[in-house]
Structures are given as structure tokens and as C-alpha cells.
Amino acid sequence: MITMAFELFWEFFKIGLFAVGGGPATLPYLMDLTKTQDWYTMRELTDMIAVSESTPGPLGLNMSTYAGFETLGLFGGLVSTFGLVLPSLIIIILIAKFLENFDQNKIVKGAFYGIRPAVTAAIAAAVLQVCRVSLLVWHDDGTFEPSIKTIILCAIILGLLQVPKCKKIHPVFWFLGAMAVGIIFRF
């Protein structure tokens, strides 16, 4: 158990250290864990995303807690959450301690200018992977087919989210509505 707890801590520490861009930036790293660890599957990851998006709190933090809990129970949830948060805590303390006018530093500005495209690409790749898992029905033989109901629901919600009045609707209502549609139409 101690070895597994250390692995959880270390993996989420690395995610916390390198997932620049908030919760969605953790997705590529969490997807990578489906290949390197047997803690959860890609399908379970999409479920974690749904749970994390529908609960209060930051996406990355919720997902790390969920993954840790699934792996080692309450202790695992605490370990993985601490691992994710610790790098930010250390970095903020160092910034506050050593760098005045941090946002005016040319090196910092240049680093953030350069990292934005990488973060955008990583998030886009994660979104494409989530779409692949969520919008397609995968069979045991590796073949797949589109999930027409899911694609239609996704397109409707995406379209509605482009309407200015709909943008003001809290995300929890979109999730609740989608859950109701899923239950009614048996997704």
C-alpha cells in the first residue's frame, strides 16, 4: 500500500507541476496514466470527467481525488490530491518570496507566451480523445460505430451554448439536463 501511495503521490505531483492551464490541462496527463498504470480505464476517465465537472471545485483537483479514491480509497484520494496541489503551493511560495514584479519579468512573459500554444494543443488533444471515447461505441474487436444519439445531444448542447442567453445557464443545469435525456432516451 505504501508503494502504491507513493506512486499516486509522484504521478499527481508531476501532473501538478506540469499541467499549466488549469483543470483541462490535466487531461492529457490523466489519459497517459491509462496507458502506464492500471488505476483506471479510458472509459472510467470519461466518467471521472463527468463526475468532476458536475461537482464543485476545480476539475483537475476533483479528478485527482477521484482517481486516488478509486485506487486506494480515502487515503489514496488524500495522497493524490496532496500530490497535485503541492507543486503549486511550492511555486507560489517561491514566487512570493523571491520575485517582485513577477508579471513584468521578460523571461516569465516569454515563457508564458511560448507555453500557451503547447497547453492549447494538449487540451485539444485531450478533447479529441474524450470525443473518441464518448461519441463512438467501441466493440471488443477494436471496431467502432458512431453513437448517433450521443452525437446529436452533443451537437444540440454545443449549439445552445453558442446562444448568448444560454451561456448564462450554470453548467450543472446542462449536466442535469443531459442526464435526464440520457435516462429518457436510454443512452
Side-chain angles (χ1 to χ4, degrees), residues 13 24 47 49 52 63 68 90 96 103 109 116 126 128 152 159 163 179 184 187:
F13 182 86
D47 292 341
I49 293 168
S52 295
M63 290 183 70
I90 292 169
D103 60 339
K109 279 184 173 182
R116 284 185 192 117
L128 290 174
I152 290 170
V163 176
M179 287 172 24
I184 293 167
F187 278 59

Side-chain angles (χ1 to χ4, degrees), residues 60-82:
L61 191 63
N62 289 350
M63 290 183 70
S64 69
T65 305
Y66 185 94
F69 184 82
E70 284 294 308
T71 306
L72 279 180
L74 180 61
F75 179 67
L78 293 171
V79 166
S80 59
T81 301
F82 182 66

